[in-house]
Amino acid sequence: MGNNIIIIGQTITPVYVQINTPVTLTCPADDQATNLTWTGPGGNLWVTGTTVEDRVDGGSIPWISAGYSGGSYTLTFTQVRARDTGIYTCTVDGKMGLRMVIVQGVTSASQMYTRQGGTVTLQCTDTGGTSQWQVTSPIVFTYTIGTQFNPSLPESTRTRMNVTRQDGNYNLHISDVQLSDVREYRCSMGATSTFYHLLLYILPTFPEIENAVIIDGQNRTTGTEHGSLTLTCNAHGGIPSANVSWIKDGVFLVTSENRAQYTKVFTRADDMTLYTCQSTSLALTSPQTTSVLVYLDLKPQQPTVSAHNPQSENTDLQVMCVSTGSRPAAVIEWNVGGTWLSSNPDEVKVLDSSTDTYTVTSSLSRRSTRQDNGKSVYCRVSNRALSGGIESVRQTITVLFGPDSVSITGNRVVVADGTNTLTLTCTTQEYNRHVHITWYNGTTRIPNTAAVTNTSGSYGGFISTQVLQLLPDRYQDGNVVRCVVQNEDVTLRERTASVTLDVSYRPILMLTARPGEKVIEGSELEIRCDVDSNPAPSSITWSRVGGQLPPDFDVTSGVLRIPSTHRTDRGTYRCVAVNSIGSDEDTIVIDIYYSPDVIVKYTNTTYISQTRLLTCDPEGNPDTYQFGSWRHKSESGTEIRQLNGSSSPLQSVLTLPDPGMTRRYEDTGYYTCRASNNIPDSSFYSSGSVLFVVAAPPVISSNVTKTKGKTGENIEIEVEFYSRPAVSSSNITWTKGPNRLHPAGKFVISLEIRTINTSFHGVDIQVEGYAAVLKINEIAEGDFDIYTVSIENGLGTVNMSIQLINTDPPSPPLYMLQKDVTSSSITVQWIPDPRRDQGDTYIIGHRPAESDVTTYSNAIPDDMEPVMAYTIDGLSANTLYYITVQSQNSDGSSQPLMISASTTASTDNDCSKCELYTTGVALIAVSSVFLLVVVVVVVVMVIKIRKINHRNKPDTQEIEFSKKALSDTGYSAEGTESSKYVNTDITTANTESVSVYEDIAEQPHMMSITEER
């Protein structure tokens, strides 16, 4: 029967096969493999796929064949020959399979073992005949003849061999033995043959420890503390067989062939110790070793339970169980009162890295009740090394509780007669452990020296009692007597029982007034008769000492109520209360406070009197006062001033300061005195006011001395004035010049009463005054004059003059001429109309003769000089210009006055004070006579007009020409001969007013104009 060998890995496994018997070698091969080979002894290729190489083919009866199916690749020998001994290697898709040695099982061949890479010598007896060394598989191949090597021997083999004749032996020496050297060798010496099978020592497998796992690169085997554990180590497959030993700390414990076992009961001391397995063999150059760590399941140590302190009922019982030294981590169970808890607390597991053991902590937390008092609590720990577990020491639970309630027994009703006593007993429910009993009357502690009696109660507790004896008085009626029990061992477990005392006594009264015994007039007053009695009073009566109760009083439940007090309600009030035991009465004095009525005493006077007094006399309760400052207001209510009077606690006298006779009328007005007696409070002042009048001549408030009108229109001239005493229209007179006016169709005179603005003591006020009105119908030229009004009121007369001024547009200047000329500027002079008003302005326009665009200056203020001048800059050289001047005011503009003038040809020809040249010179010559006549006429008119104005003006006014700075205004070209307008920034800086008299005098046809004074 054949042998089937499965190739697994690369371990060389010896197979002993009898000669001429079949054998099949098998190696795994995936069904998808494509490249498969078998090689035989010497590393020669024998099979590719399933095809046997020709050189190893056995002819018509092959002795080998190859197959590939079912995941296996096989090499089958039909009959094994002696020369088939050797190493066979299976290669699948480039990966080498197991190599195997097949050794012929015949006795004629001697087996020679050596290590791979070692040296071996094969010998046969040298008989002197023909000698040679051969290998017989897969074919017979001669290595040597005599001492000569076959030249066909591969160099790699030749260099490792040597042949010698020595000591009667024919020797073949092989060094660095390789797998390809494993063959059957034959030494031929004449007709005699000697066979050798050259075999390698086969290495045993590396020692393997059973039931070991690799953790962190180290073999580990597990056991149980105090349990038996067998360590097994194998080293198979070696030739010769390996010796296997267990070693600890250098001490050999056990040794056996191929397999060593060491059994012992391991303790905690053996935990984490290292055991070494060692294999030795001739095939090994040095021992092979591997180690295993003994890793035990360790039993937990006896747990400890934390000490239990007494605790209050309904607080959490906190007990901790700690177990150390367990592997795996211990499981902790709790027992309370002999009952194992079905649900145990979570555990905290902490690994000690130095011992790889666990410390397990479990905290038991449960609400304790008095039923737990005296019970035991302990824990039990277990793991797979200690299934039955180990228990901790038992702790006894002490729960502090109660008492839940306290009761008081005894008689609480007594009559306070000074002899009757009251006995109360305080009894607790069960409690544990210590209590104090304290008695209180309200919040006041009652000393009690009576002993406390203790008896046994439920749950190992106690019940305590204590007796209290009292001698009550009337003031203890309704008092709450409390028995307070405090368990000193239990937080917030105070228990209280109370009784309310019922003590009978006669009435005791106390009268109180709300808001007080001093009441502000008009406020509500309640007088309360508080009765302290037991039983309640049978009657409560009210009376007023020496008088009747107020008519609007009412009494409810012992309260006398006056809804609105009056100063006549002040007095003494009495209350009387009666009960079955006796009676009592009490009185209270009520005073009514009221703010003062302020009375101001005075006498009106005239402006002639220097002394003007006002006296303030308040009347109130209390009758001492603080006075504020006096206030002087106009009749319309405007405050004029505040004055300080001369004050005492009873009155204030105001002496008015003297502003002078002409201004004493300004003292007229309302005077207010303010006084306070701190009722209802210090911030409240009562006041009294009077109208104090100082009669004086009329005072004119108008300040307009001029008014404007236009010819043909109507105008009203008004003069506002103030007068005390009053006036009528018969007190008003109007004059025009020296002539008195009488009401007629032309003039209408009237007197109006109106509110006017004036000033008293520097304060602008409005007072009831008058307006003297003169209406002029259809103003004519002769109506422009000065009008005077006279006002008389019995104490004096005042006059006021107003000038009526014509408001027609201004007259144009009387004359204009050229003054200076340069190539870029022209200076002109003009004579204003002497009748002009102050505030007129002038506009200068200029345009080249060939252009219709006129450029206008800004408004030039009138400096009120007889002659004015202005320089026009920025002109073109040698150019004729038309120049105009116009006067203007708020009523309009005059007609323009025009001249023509030319600039010079160049700056070399500029002249100052040039006469009219070229055509201008001729024009002056022709018109000189005309100009002289015009100037004479103008001067005569000016003189005449000034004389008329001088006669018509009031004495306090004069017509005066003076230089005034007037604001610039824009100018409208409306009404001029130009249809286009260009405005340039020609400022008043160009206006000349210096030496105008001299300049105009230098003109050959002009005369000086002087003002008549």
Side-chain angles (χ1 to χ4, degrees):
M1 185 173 181
N3 295 301
N4 294 321
I5 308 301
I6 298 177
I7 301 172
I8 303 174
Q10 295 187 3
T11 301
I12 303 175
T13 303
V15 178
Y16 299 94
V17 183
Q18 294 296 322
I19 195 169
N20 297 325
T21 60
V23 67
T24 298
L25 305 179
T26 303
C27 73
D30 188 87
D31 290 342
Q32 306 300 319
T34 58
N35 186 10
L36 303 97
T37 61
W38 280 103
T39 58
N44 298 304
L45 179 64
W46 280 33
V47 178
T48 300
T50 57
T51 303
V52 179
E53 296 295 325
D54 290 343
R55 60 188 179 84
V56 296
D57 195 344
S60 59
I61 304 176
W63 88 99
I64 63 170
S65 61
Y68 170 46
S69 65
S72 298
Y73 185 38
T74 60
L75 179 65
T76 301
F77 295 82
T78 57
Q79 289 181 340
V80 176
R81 302 172 302 183
R83 63 188 188 196
D84 293 333
T85 298
I87 301 294
Y88 292 84
T89 302
C90 167
T91 302
V92 178
D93 285 339
K95 294 182 180 180
M96 187 176 293
L98 176 67
R99 287 160 295 179
M100 179 177 294
V101 177
I102 297 177
V103 180
Q104 181 185 3
V106 295
T107 60
S108 60
S110 299
Q111 294 183 348
M112 294 292 293
Y113 285 93
T114 187
R115 297 187 185 92
Q116 184 175 357
T119 300
V120 67
T121 299
L122 304 180
Q123 296 179 342
C124 65
T125 302
D126 187 358
T127 60
T130 301
S131 60
Q132 59 182 358
W133 281 100
Q134 296 173 321
V135 293
T136 60
S137 62
I139 59 174
V140 176
F141 182 81
T142 300
Y143 274 23
T144 66
I145 297 176
T147 58
Q148 300 296 319
F149 280 92
N150 186 348
S152 298
L153 186 66
E155 182 68 18
S156 60
T157 301
R158 170 67 187 88
T159 59
R160 294 186 294 107
M161 292 186 178
N162 187 21
V163 62
T164 63
R165 293 180 183 271
Q166 185 178 1
D167 299 331
N169 293 320
Y170 181 47
N171 304 314
L172 177 63
H173 305 282
I174 305 175
S175 61
D176 190 18
V177 177
Q178 300 297 316
L179 293 178
S180 60
D181 297 330
V182 178
R183 305 276 189 97
E184 183 182 65
Y185 291 82
R186 182 172 62 190
C187 175
S188 298
M189 185 66 66
T192 302
S193 294
T194 301
F195 292 89
Y196 288 95
H197 284 166
L198 178 59
L199 301 175
L200 291 178
Y201 286 129
I202 298 176
L203 296 175
T205 59
F206 193 82
E208 293 183 357
I209 299 174
E210 293 184 3
N211 300 318
V213 294
I214 298 176
I215 298 177
D216 296 332
Q218 184 182 55
N219 286 326
R220 180 181 293 184
T221 186
T222 59
T224 301
E225 181 182 4
H226 296 134
S228 178
L229 176 64
T230 298
L231 303 179
T232 302
C233 181
N234 298 305
H236 297 294
I239 296 180
S241 295
N243 289 324
V244 181
S245 302
W246 278 107
I247 305 171
K248 178 186 177 186
D249 298 332
V251 177
F252 283 79
L253 304 176
V254 64
T255 302
S256 61
E257 188 175 294
N258 292 331
R259 177 183 178 91
Q261 289 185 320
Y262 176 70
T263 301
K264 70 169 289 188
V265 175
F266 285 84
T267 66
R268 183 177 290 266
D270 296 314
D271 181 52
M272 304 290 281
T273 56
L274 198 65
Y275 287 78
T276 301
C277 173
Q278 174 181 286
S279 66
T280 58
S281 168
L282 294 175
L284 297 172
T285 58
S286 62
Q288 292 180 324
T289 60
T290 184
S291 298
V292 65
L293 184 73
V294 175
Y295 190 81
L296 299 179
D297 285 347
L298 300 179
K299 299 176 182 180
Q301 303 295 307
Q302 183 175 19
T304 60
V305 174
S306 59
H308 166 67
N309 294 320
Q311 62 188 86
S312 299
E313 184 179 26
N314 293 322
T315 60
D316 287 339
L317 172 67
Q318 300 283 352
V319 187
M320 182 179 296
C321 177
V322 178
S323 172
T324 61
S326 63
R327 187 193 303 138
V331 175
I332 299 179
E333 301 172 280
W334 285 94
N335 187 294
V336 178
T339 302
W340 291 102
L341 301 184
S342 58
S343 177
N344 289 284
D346 291 337
E347 300 163 347
V348 177
K349 302 174 183 179
V350 178
L351 178 64
D352 184 347
S353 60
S354 64
T355 62
D356 209 22
T357 60
Y358 285 89
T359 296
V360 182
T361 302
S362 175
S363 297
L364 175 63
S365 177
R366 57 176 280 167
R367 187 57 55 97
S368 61
T369 65
R370 63 189 63 188
Q371 287 81 4
D372 294 328
N373 187 40
K375 290 182 179 180
S376 63
V377 59
Y378 61 95
C379 65
R380 180 174 63 191
V381 296
S382 61
N383 65 359
R384 65 186 179 216
L386 186 64
S387 59
I390 184 171
E391 296 178 354
S392 68
V393 175
R394 286 169 169 74
Q395 297 283 348
T396 300
I397 301 174
T398 299
V399 179
L400 307 177
F401 60 88
D404 286 340
S405 64
V406 179
S407 62
I408 296 177
T409 57
N411 183 19
R412 66 182 184 85
V413 180
V414 67
V415 176
D417 59 2
T419 60
N420 293 332
T421 60
L422 185 148
T423 302
L424 301 174
T425 301
C426 178
T427 304
T428 71
Q429 271 193 336
E430 66 271 3
Y431 64 88
N432 185 36
R433 290 184 295 185
H434 305 95
V435 297
H436 291 292
I437 298 178
T438 309
W439 292 87
Y440 291 90
N441 182 359
T443 59
T444 302
R445 182 172 180 175
I446 304 173
N448 189 14
T449 59
V452 176
T453 302
N454 297 321
T455 58
S456 298
S458 302
Y459 311 111
F462 302 91
I463 296 175
S464 297
T465 59
Q466 189 181 43
V467 176
L468 173 69
Q469 287 190 332
L470 295 175
L471 181 63
D473 57 27
R474 63 186 302 127
Y475 301 106
Q476 292 178 348
D477 178 51
N479 284 6
V480 176
V481 175
R482 295 184 298 127
C483 170
V484 177
V485 178
Q486 174 67 49
N487 187 336
E488 65 182 18
D489 297 315
V490 181
T491 304
L492 301 177
R493 295 292 287 179
E494 183 178 281
R495 292 292 181 259
T496 301
S498 63
V499 294
T500 302
L501 302 184
D502 186 359
V503 181
S504 298
Y505 52 90
R506 72 176 183 86
I508 294 295
L509 301 187
M510 185 175 64
L511 295 184
T512 57
R514 189 180 62 84
E517 297 177 20
K518 294 177 171 49
V519 184
I520 296 176
E521 184 179 34
S523 62
E524 182 184 60
L525 171 64
E526 285 187 357
I527 306 176
R528 180 178 296 277
C529 183
D530 292 320
V531 182
D532 180 17
S533 70
N534 189 21
S538 58
S539 66
I540 300 176
T541 58
W542 286 93
S543 63
R544 183 177 179 185
V545 179
Q548 301 293 323
L549 292 174
D552 57 348
F553 81 95
D554 66 78
V555 176
T556 303
S557 299
V559 178
L560 173 66
R561 179 177 176 273
I562 303 174
S564 179
T565 55
H566 191 266
R567 61 193 66 180
T568 59
D569 294 334
R570 61 194 299 183
T572 302
Y573 294 81
R574 176 186 290 117
C575 176
V576 178
V578 179
N579 74 352
S580 60
I581 298 176
S583 66
D584 191 22
E585 70 175 46
D586 195 11
T587 60
I588 188 170
V589 177
I590 300 299
D591 193 8
I592 306 298
Y593 282 178
Y594 51 92
S595 58
D597 296 331
V598 180
I599 300 171
V600 180
K601 300 175 182 178
Y602 70 100
T603 300
N604 288 332
T605 185
T606 69
Y607 75 107
I608 301 300
S609 175
Q610 287 185 316
T611 302
R612 296 168 309 287
L613 298 177
L614 294 96
T615 303
C616 180
D617 290 323
E619 295 180 358
N621 183 29
D623 59 358
T624 57
Y625 310 98
Q626 297 87 40
F627 293 92
S629 59
W630 289 74
R631 294 183 178 178
H632 177 199
K633 294 184 178 180
S634 69
E635 296 176 52
S636 62
T638 301
E639 184 169 296
I640 299 173
R641 55 184 171 163
Q642 295 188 16
L643 302 167
N644 292 322
S646 175
S647 301
S648 69
L650 299 179
Q651 71 173 192
S652 177
V653 178
L654 175 64
T655 301
L656 295 177
D658 189 10
M661 179 182 293
T662 59
R663 292 184 56 202
R664 288 175 186 164
Y665 73 93
E666 295 181 12
D667 290 343
T668 298
Y670 283 98
Y671 286 82
T672 301
C673 172
R674 300 167 60 247
S676 173
N677 61 355
N678 295 331
I679 303 300
D681 56 53
S682 61
S683 65
F684 180 80
Y685 280 76
S686 299
S687 61
S689 300
V690 295
L691 176 61
F692 180 69
V693 177
V694 178
V699 178
I700 294 176
S701 60
S702 299
N703 57 8
V704 177
T705 61
K706 292 182 180 181
T707 185
K708 294 181 179 182
K710 289 186 178 182
T711 305
E713 295 182 352
N714 301 335
I715 190 172
E716 287 186 351
I717 300 175
E718 296 183 348
V719 175
E720 293 184 340
F721 64 94
Y722 167 78
S723 177
R724 292 289 188 278
V727 297
S728 64
S729 57
S730 62
N731 300 108
I732 309 300
T733 302
W734 283 93
T735 60
K736 176 184 178 185
N739 302 317
R740 179 174 179 174
L741 298 178
H742 298 281
K746 181 72 173 179
F747 300 100
V748 179
I749 298 174
S750 62
L751 178 66
E752 297 181 1
I753 298 176
R754 65 172 59 166
T755 299
I756 65 173
N757 296 319
T758 186
S759 175
F760 278 15
H761 297 289
V763 177
D764 293 333
I765 63 172
Q766 290 184 331
V767 297
E768 184 181 277
Y770 303 89
V773 181
L774 172 64
K775 182 178 181 181
I776 304 174
N777 294 318
E778 296 181 1
I779 299 174
E781 185 67 29
D783 294 332
F784 294 103
D785 207 332
I786 294 176
Y787 296 84
T788 302
V789 63
S790 297
I791 308 168
E792 187 273 331
N793 68 351
L795 294 178
T797 302
V798 293
N799 300 316
M800 174 72 177
S801 296
I802 300 174
Q803 181 182 7
L804 178 61
I805 301 173
N806 194 336
T807 60
D808 291 334
S811 301
L814 300 181
Y815 180 72
M816 181 174 66
L817 55 78
Q818 165 188 318
K819 177 185 176 185
D820 293 332
V821 177
T822 69
S823 61
S824 61
S825 66
I826 298 175
T827 301
V828 295
Q829 287 182 311
W830 68 91
I831 300 175
D833 188 342
R835 297 173 300 172
R836 70 193 186 278
D837 289 330
Q838 186 174 355
D840 287 358
T841 58
Y842 299 92
I843 297 295
I844 304 297
H846 69 277
R847 66 179 178 86
E850 68 276 7
S851 173
D852 59 355
V853 178
T854 299
T855 301
Y856 295 96
S857 70
N858 292 331
I860 302 170
D862 190 344
D863 57 10
M864 301 305 294
E865 295 292 340
V867 178
M868 294 186 66
Y870 182 80
T871 298
I872 306 171
D873 293 321
L875 303 180
S876 300
N878 198 25
T879 302
L880 175 64
Y881 287 91
Y882 293 107
I883 303 172
T884 62
V885 60
Q886 287 179 283
S887 57
Q888 65 177 13
N889 60 18
S890 58
D891 297 315
S893 302
S894 69
Q895 291 296 323
L897 184 63
M898 178 183 290
I899 66 170
S900 62
S902 297
T903 56
T904 61
S906 66
T907 56
D908 295 338
N909 295 326
D910 287 349
C911 63
S912 61
K913 305 201 176 188
C914 293
E915 301 295 339
L916 295 175
Y917 56 94
T918 61
T919 58
V921 173
L923 179 60
I924 292 174
V926 173
S927 60
S928 60
V929 176
F930 173 74
L931 292 174
L932 179 60
V933 174
V934 171
V935 170
V936 171
V937 172
V938 169
V939 171
V940 173
M941 290 179 62
V942 169
I943 293 173
K944 182 178 181 181
I945 291 171
R946 292 185 59 83
K947 287 181 177 180
I948 293 173
N949 289 336
H950 183 72
R951 288 196 308 269
N952 293 339
K953 285 187 176 181
D955 293 341
T956 59
Q957 300 183 17
E958 289 185 341
I959 296 178
E960 174 182 354
F961 293 92
S962 62
K963 185 179 295 183
K964 300 291 183 179
L966 302 178
S967 60
D968 293 346
T969 60
Y971 173 73
S972 172
E974 180 181 356
T976 66
E977 61 184 0
S978 174
S979 61
K980 295 185 179 180
Y981 174 79
V982 177
N983 182 29
T984 60
D985 187 15
I986 303 176
T987 66
T988 57
N990 294 331
T991 304
E992 295 185 10
S993 60
V994 180
S995 302
V996 292
Y997 294 106
E998 290 80 354
D999 294 339
I1000 204 73
E1002 291 177 5
Q1003 300 300 324
H1005 304 295
M1006 297 299 296
M1007 60 183 293
S1008 298
I1009 300 175
T1010 61
E1011 180 180 356
E1012 181 182 2
R1013 297 289 181 183

